[in-house]
Amino acid sequence: MDFLLPFTISKFPFNISYNSKILLIGSCFSREIGDRMASLKFNVLQNPNGILYNPLSIEKSINSYIQNHVYTEDELVSVDGVYHSLQHHSSFSGIEKVSVVEKINRSQNNAHHFLKQADELIITFGTAFSYQIKSSGEIVANCHKIPPENFEKRLLEISEIENEFLDLVEKLNIFNPRLKIIFTISPVKHVRDGVVENMQSKARLIEAVHYIISKTHNTYYFPSYELVTEVLRDYRFYKEDLVHPNNSATEFVFEKFCDSFFDNETMTLKKEVESINRMINHRPLFEESESHKAFKLGLSQKIEELKNSFPGIDFLKEN
């Protein structure tokens, strides 16, 4: 008797390796995957604007990286003495205008150069709901607790998402012709919008993504959403809030991601890095014991051997 729906993900026509440069952008689920790749020492850049949820904010941010848009103080808003960018996460906010703009523009410049050389761009859509400033019609990435009467909440049309991303993919193909674009949908439930509304939102994202892929090249779909909602299908794979996939679910999706994109050499190297990470995280009972000194020496030798074979892998912070 089967207790899981059989679901085989076809191998993709390219591999992600330790030589790849990977930019991840989108929802908090994108961060979960990105954090795992970063811990495994892949060359990744995550969410240069911070976490983003709706497709049009993601599209706008990627366009700004292509253009290397320079933000000015006039583009900030002040809320209770704190300055924010409506296109950035609150991690960029601060009480000094100059510092906020400098931090944003450092991230912009880094994203511009990274994207120009990137091999893969992983885009994770979270929700089709957006918030639009009533006075200007601008769709924002973050409301920063500005009073809700200043915004109109709107469910994006499928055609809006499709048209904006068809144009964006064309620009990306010109900006970086070798770039592969991997779309995925976050399995995080946006239940604050309502259970029925969340399903409608996810359906629009899925429909839009598959249309975009059908009309463009170098674009692909990885089924994160389906792996959680159709294969695992159980609230024991969610955190206590019943909204966010827990560590077991996220690890399951990441394992499928690795199986889909990593070749044998990359998988072998991944296991080596995991082994070193476990050794680094080991906490001895007696740090000054001879056995622990020998353990540390063995760890240093293992790191040095790996570094000699793959100079791009850096354990400097951990060691």
Side-chain angles (χ1 to χ4, degrees), residues 17-71:
S17 75
Y18 275 92
N19 294 318
S20 301
K21 297 187 72 169
I22 308 134
L23 196 155
L24 300 99
I25 186 168
S27 80
C28 51
F29 191 75
S30 174
R31 183 184 61 189
E32 292 277 2
I33 299 301
D35 284 348
R36 280 167 168 74
M37 297 194 76
S39 71
L40 290 169
K41 303 303 177 182
F42 284 89
N43 187 1
V44 299
L45 177 64
Q46 299 185 62
N47 282 330
N49 279 50
I51 295 170
L52 303 172
Y53 296 101
N54 80 79
L56 296 197
S57 290
I58 293 172
E59 178 271 335
K60 184 173 183 177
S61 68
I62 296 173
N63 259 317
S64 77
Y65 309 150
I66 294 172
Q67 299 160 7
N68 202 7
H69 174 71
V70 178
Y71 279 80

Side-chain angles (χ1 to χ4, degrees), residues 64-261:
S64 77
Y65 309 150
I66 294 172
Q67 299 160 7
N68 202 7
H69 174 71
V70 178
Y71 279 80
T72 66
E73 293 180 7
D74 293 338
E75 294 175 86
L76 303 181
V77 297
S78 177
V79 182
D80 296 329
V82 179
Y83 291 97
H84 307 275
S85 164
L86 293 173
Q87 301 306 327
H88 289 76
H89 187 263
S90 58
S91 57
F92 287 88
S93 303
I95 59 174
E96 297 290 340
K97 270 187 178 182
V98 174
S99 298
V100 173
V101 169
E102 286 179 352
K103 186 175 183 180
I104 288 172
N105 285 329
R106 280 197 302 272
S107 184
Q108 285 287 117
N109 188 57
N110 188 29
H112 170 78
H113 292 289
F114 193 97
L115 181 59
K116 182 68 177 174
Q117 300 175 4
D119 298 285
E120 288 84 28
L121 169 63
I122 301 175
I123 300 172
T124 305
F125 290 163
T127 178
F129 280 99
S130 66
Y131 289 86
Q132 191 171 350
I133 302 174
K134 289 181 179 178
S135 59
S136 66
E138 178 186 8
I139 290 176
V140 302
N142 198 309
C143 296
H144 296 296
K145 298 184 179 179
I146 296 172
E149 57 265 23
N150 291 281
F151 301 96
E152 177 187 353
K153 183 179 179 181
R154 186 169 68 84
L155 185 61
L156 298 173
E157 298 291 340
I158 295 174
S159 58
E160 282 183 277
I161 303 169
E162 291 170 348
N163 291 336
E164 292 297 329
F165 272 85
L166 287 175
D167 183 59
L168 177 63
V169 170
E170 184 177 345
K171 290 178 183 177
L172 285 167
N173 286 336
I174 295 169
F175 182 69
N176 181 352
R178 74 168 180 269
L179 185 70
K180 283 91 172 173
I181 305 167
I182 303 164
F183 288 95
T184 188
I185 309 296
S186 170
V188 175
K189 301 174 186 293
H190 288 249
V191 294
R192 289 184 181 180
D193 298 323
V195 173
V196 173
E197 291 80 0
N198 174 66
M199 294 299 289
Q200 184 184 16
S201 164
K202 299 292 188 184
R204 291 196 177 194
L205 298 177
I206 293 168
E207 177 63 24
V209 164
H210 285 289
Y211 181 81
I212 294 162
I213 291 171
S214 74
K215 298 296 181 181
T216 55
H217 71 280
N218 280 345
T219 53
Y220 307 88
Y221 181 68
F222 179 76
S224 299
Y225 179 79
E226 292 81 356
L227 284 168
V228 175
T229 61
E230 293 300 323
V231 179
L232 298 181
R233 291 185 62 84
D234 195 308
Y235 275 106
R236 66 193 167 107
F237 293 108
Y238 281 82
K239 295 180 181 178
E240 289 183 0
D241 62 7
L242 303 181
V243 167
H244 294 84
N246 62 20
N247 185 68
S248 295
T250 306
E251 193 61 33
F252 175 77
V253 174
F254 186 62
E255 286 175 5
K256 297 298 182 184
F257 180 89
C258 297
D259 291 341
S260 299
F261 289 106

